[in-house]
Amino acid sequence: MAFHFEKPPGFDFKPGQSADLTLLNPPETDSEGNIRTFSIASAPFEDQLMFATRMRDTAFKRSLKNVPLGTVVKMDSAMGSFTLHKNSAKPAVFLAGGIGITPFSSIVRQADHDRAAHKLYLFYSNRRPEETCFIQVLQNLEKTNPKFSFIATMTDVPRSKETWNGDTGRINRDMLSKYLDDLRGPIYYIAGPPAMVGGMRKMLVESGVDEDDIRTEEFAGY
Ligand SMILES: Cc1cc2nc3c(=O)[nH]c(=O)nc-3n(C[C@H](O)[C@H](O)[C@H](O)COP(=O)(O)OP(=O)(O)OC[C@H]3O[C@@H](n4cnc5c(N)ncnc54)[C@H](O)[C@@H]3O)c2cc1C
């Protein structure tokens, strides 16, 4: 589920960064408190700030979903270094598991806007197409940015309500090799639940990718 906020004047961030969001007077709260870290899913050039989250039955998320439009939240400065490397001669390969798409959503939107010189590959793994956040936007960006390749893969097509003609199964070495000329060379970025991030890092290292070329963002709490 995506949430849109007015961008405070002067609020600055880099694509890929996150921010702590505090609910000020939530209708309910629990022992986990009223603060969560979210990656900013919108791009700096856009007027609004957008966050997206996997809805779960927690007090914070029930509150976020139920507060009226116009509710004021507190947001701290953007933080983190999960941002695109400078050397555009090196391709970027993004590996997203589910809601781990949010930092990449920001990066590829901004790259499209800036006509960035980097080659970008986004591998995006979900169970089913109907629960795949931003899929339409990302498919459209692939059409407008010739340097951007979008590879969505579904791991549970048999239980999907929608037909799916794209890749299936988890992101693995074979899937990467299908789209990348050489697994060694790009800078890899992995975002998602800690178990997914750990699994992808292991797979990359076993495939010969240099650990220095792997950057990760673990969505602790999943
Ligand atoms: C840099 C960063 C970016 C993130 N970006 C997003 C995003 O864009 N979208 C999104 O949906 N989520 C994101 N998350 C995860 C988010 O902050 C929440 O942890 C997550 O949404 C779960 O919240 P919840 O209310 O569902 O569960 P919670 O009520 O928070 O409970 C989840 C369980 O995880 C444990 N837990 C919570 N926080 C931590 C922690 N920091 N370390 C270890 N255990 C913890 C709790 O104790 C609890 O057992 C991000 C996290 C980080 C660190």
Side-chain angles (χ1 to χ4, degrees), residues 2 19 34 44 47 64 104 120 127 149 163 177 210:
N34 300 332
D47 292 337
L64 189 62
F104 304 133
L120 308 174
R127 289 195 185 89
S149 300
T163 48
S177 300
D210 190 328

Side-chain angles (χ1 to χ4, degrees), residues 1 16-20 30-33 35-41 51-61 79-80 99-103 194 217-222:
M1 192 161 184
Q17 285 193 306
S18 56
D20 281 350
D30 65 14
S31 59
E32 299 299 334
I35 306 175
R36 294 290 183 283
T37 305
F38 291 121
S39 300
I40 304 170
F51 299 90
T53 187
R54 192 209 291 176
M55 291 313 283
R56 299 203 306 190
D57 200 18
T58 69
F60 182 96
K61 290 185 176 173
M79 59 191 174
I99 196 63
I101 194 63
T102 47
E217 188 82 295
E218 290 194 0
F219 284 13
Y222 285 121

Side-chain angles (χ1 to χ4, degrees), residues 30-210:
D30 65 14
S31 59
E32 299 299 334
N34 300 332
I35 306 175
R36 294 290 183 283
T37 305
F38 291 121
S39 300
I40 304 170
S42 51
F45 80 89
E46 294 175 306
D47 292 337
Q48 292 187 332
L49 289 175
M50 184 201 9
F51 299 90
T53 187
R54 192 209 291 176
M55 291 313 283
R56 299 203 306 190
D57 200 18
T58 69
F60 182 96
K61 290 185 176 173
R62 281 194 301 273
S63 299
L64 189 62
K65 191 174 164 195
N66 292 328
V67 291
L69 274 180
T71 295
V72 175
V73 298
K74 176 173 172 278
M75 197 178 59
D76 293 338
S77 310
M79 59 191 174
S81 54
F82 197 65
T83 54
L84 190 60
H85 58 275
K86 287 218 166 69
N87 180 1
S88 61
K90 276 185 173 288
V93 176
F94 306 128
L95 308 183
I99 196 63
I101 194 63
T102 47
F104 304 133
S105 159
S106 180
I107 293 172
V108 300
R109 284 166 202 253
Q110 188 69 35
D112 180 70
H113 179 261
D114 294 347
R115 294 275 168 258
H118 298 70
K119 283 194 93 166
L120 308 174
Y121 297 85
L122 171 57
F123 292 83
Y124 183 20
S125 174
N126 282 275
R127 289 195 185 89
R128 294 175 282 275
E130 59 267 32
E131 58 193 47
T132 300
C133 199
F134 304 135
I135 191 161
Q136 190 78 61
V137 176
L138 295 166
Q139 285 168 339
N140 289 341
L141 284 173
E142 191 185 31
K143 290 181 195 140
T144 57
N145 183 355
K147 294 188 177 295
F148 174 50
S149 300
F150 176 51
I151 304 103
T153 179
M154 301 299 151
T155 58
D156 191 12
V157 174
R159 288 203 288 162
S160 171
K161 293 190 197 91
E162 293 180 18
T163 48
W164 177 251
N165 299 316
D167 283 88
T168 56
R170 290 185 175 200
I171 301 166
N172 58 22
R173 182 185 187 155
D174 288 345
M175 190 182 291
L176 295 178
S177 300
K178 194 169 134 190
Y179 294 96
L180 304 172
D181 295 335
D182 188 353
L183 296 198
R184 278 166 293 195
I187 305 290
Y188 291 83
Y189 298 78
I190 315 170
M196 177 268 173
V197 172
M200 289 294 111
R201 173 189 276 281
K202 187 165 174 282
M203 181 271 293
L204 290 176
V205 171
E206 285 171 358
S207 304
V209 174
D210 190 328

